[in-house]
Amino acid sequence: MKVPFLDLSLQHKALREPALAALAATYDATRFCLGKDVEDFEKGFAAALGYPAVLGMNSGTAPLHVACMMAGFGPGDEIITAPFTFISSAWGINYVGARPVFADIEEGTFNLDPAKVAAAVTPRTKGIIAVHLFGQPARMDEIMAIAKQHNLFVIEDCAQAVGARYQGTPVGLLGDVGTFSFYPTKNLGGCGEGGALVTRRPELHTRARHIRVHGSDRRYYHDIVGGNFRMDGFQGALLNVKLPHLAGWTRRRQAIAGRYLREIRLADVRLPDQPSYGQSVFHQFTIRHPQRDALREHLTRREVGTDLIYPVPLHLQKCYGYLGYGPGSFPVSERSAANCVSLPIFPELTDAQVDHVIASVNAF
Ligand SMILES: *Cc1c(COP(=O)(O)O)cnc(C)c1O
């Protein structure tokens, strides 16, 4: 039996007719940049997931960039984030001329270790970017306590955690700003690029709204420096078609993860911890094993697709050589990169395919 790591064609085949009808309506109305479809999506997303307001943007990197602009980070400032994440979590720091400072993750959840964050704070520290990696919320109580003590601006990278809650609060509302991605492979994926920004602080929402459209509230009057971070109308229209399915897709991911957690039994395997403060939405299901490469080859032979997410932590990427870190700087991140392998976890997987993944892992 073949189990692809991810097959986006199934979801898109199922939604082909409503998706094309929505695109046609947007095309005919020439609603190409922001506009009614994007506004409807912003309102729908806010209502479905519990946000006061949402701003649609043109990628998941965009709101991270905008958040760093809103925070006023700049040259000489240090912003702490995790080295075990997608590179985009850190890009915004560079875009505003500030310096990424990494703090290691905890073994159990792949998320920032609050003790390591506290140890990384210097007089130049201005902010923290907490990533809710693989759909699992980070330890926000501890992170916010550090932020409060040192007056730091907190950005939550929720790109992989749409729908996740931390002690009942939707991710993105715990810090100052939360950011989402609708890249096609995300839990809520568009047909192209997309992202969003949320904040519990109304004055920051207004500021982000202006930055999104060239620093402008009134056409051709620019009170602050902004950019072009607008979501396009087609993405808004497509996301409106997909949004009603998100809750069901998330439950299916959680059900598959529940089976993996209960039924994978393999010596030396490390399954991800499920702390009681939050509920993961399982963007990935990533396990660790000391013989990761051999395990992966074994799964490939049994036609189980896997991926390495992430093979190289950020502090060992060439682009961040100038920061002066090296092997050994962040042992938990390095060990995770060396030992991790991600298993198939998308809503359209059949129960028989899930059986096959579990049996194949257990047969290693
Ligand atoms: C996908 C992702 C982003 C944003 O990526 P885009 O490709 O710009 O949408 C940011 N952070 C993390 C952790 C991600 O997984």
Side-chain angles (χ1 to χ4, degrees):
M1 179 183 299
K2 263 202 171 71
V3 188
F5 178 68
L6 176 63
D7 183 352
L8 285 179
S9 74
L10 298 168
Q11 181 184 110
H12 292 96
K13 245 180 249 162
L15 296 176
R16 187 171 188 276
E17 278 175 33
L20 294 186
L23 288 177
T26 304
Y27 184 92
D28 290 341
T30 63
R31 291 190 295 254
F32 299 138
C33 300
L34 296 178
K36 181 177 179 298
D37 303 284
V38 174
E39 282 163 28
D40 287 350
F41 172 65
E42 291 169 342
K43 288 196 187 103
F45 187 92
L49 298 173
Y51 295 104
V54 177
L55 291 166
M57 296 198 180
N58 48 8
S59 74
T61 305
L64 286 160
H65 184 177
V66 171
C68 289
M69 291 171 76
M70 288 157 70
F73 300 154
D77 296 341
E78 296 178 353
I79 316 304
I80 298 170
T81 193
F84 191 72
T85 178
F86 182 56
I87 190 90
S88 177
S89 300
W91 281 150
I93 303 168
N94 292 95
Y95 297 162
V96 298
R99 186 179 179 87
V101 169
F102 297 118
D104 211 351
I105 57 167
E106 27 166 62
E107 194 92 46
T109 64
F110 297 102
N111 281 326
L112 274 177
D113 180 337
K116 301 286 166 53
V117 173
V121 173
T122 76
R124 291 175 299 282
T125 306
K126 291 288 158 57
I128 300 171
I129 300 181
V131 186
H132 305 304
L133 201 74
F134 301 153
Q136 171 68 58
R139 290 191 192 277
M140 291 308 294
D141 276 357
E142 292 87 339
I143 290 168
M144 292 312 292
I146 298 164
K148 201 165 174 203
Q149 189 186 342
H150 300 280
N151 196 25
L152 308 178
F153 191 93
V154 177
I155 299 166
E156 297 175 67
D157 180 346
C158 312
Q160 303 187 1
V162 63
R165 284 172 179 257
Y166 177 92
Q167 291 178 355
T169 302
V171 290
L173 296 183
L174 300 143
D176 295 286
V177 173
T179 69
F180 293 91
S181 168
F182 307 118
Y183 185 73
T185 60
K186 297 289 155 78
N187 288 23
L188 178 63
C191 298
E193 305 288 347
L197 185 148
V198 299
T199 174
R200 62 186 158 81
R201 297 173 50 189
E203 78 283 9
L204 288 181
H205 176 83
T206 303
R207 196 172 172 78
R209 193 160 52 76
H210 295 171
I211 290 174
R212 175 174 70 166
V213 190
H214 303 295
S216 169
D217 195 16
R218 219 172 11 136
R219 213 162 149 235
Y220 304 133
Y221 292 82
H222 310 278
D223 293 349
I224 55 172
V225 173
N228 177 358
F229 301 103
R230 292 182 292 242
M231 176 179 276
D232 73 58
F234 287 130
Q235 289 315 320
L238 285 160
L239 288 166
N240 282 328
V241 172
K242 289 193 176 191
L243 183 62
H245 299 277
L246 178 62
W249 289 336
T250 301
R251 281 195 297 275
R252 177 69 184 147
R253 284 176 183 271
Q254 289 168 336
I256 295 167
R259 288 202 53 198
Y260 287 164
L261 287 165
R262 285 190 304 274
E263 297 176 42
I264 289 178
R265 285 200 188 79
L266 177 65
D268 299 328
V269 80
R270 174 83 200 241
L271 301 175
D273 285 0
Q274 304 305 312
S276 57
Y277 61 70
Q279 169 70 68
S280 177
V281 293
F282 293 100
H283 176 59
Q284 301 295 351
F285 192 91
T286 300
I287 64 175
R288 278 159 292 184
H289 193 280
Q291 291 154 275
R292 187 269 313 273
D293 292 338
L295 171 60
R296 199 170 179 220
E297 278 164 34
H298 160 85
L299 293 173
T300 303
R301 276 196 301 277
R302 296 186 55 130
E303 299 190 303
V304 173
T306 59
D307 203 356
L308 299 188
I309 308 175
Y310 296 92
V312 182
L314 303 198
H315 68 286
L316 299 178
Q317 298 284 352
K318 264 190 198 156
C319 65
Y320 284 140
Y322 76 96
L323 294 173
Y325 298 113
S329 294
F330 303 105
V332 184
S333 293
E334 290 167 35
R335 205 157 54 237
S336 296
N339 292 348
C340 72
V341 55
S342 299
L343 302 178
I345 186 156
F346 56 97
E348 295 81 11
L349 282 177
T350 65
D351 289 342
Q353 286 177 311
V354 175
D355 292 343
H356 182 63
V357 174
I358 293 165
S360 299
V361 171
N362 290 347
F364 177 60

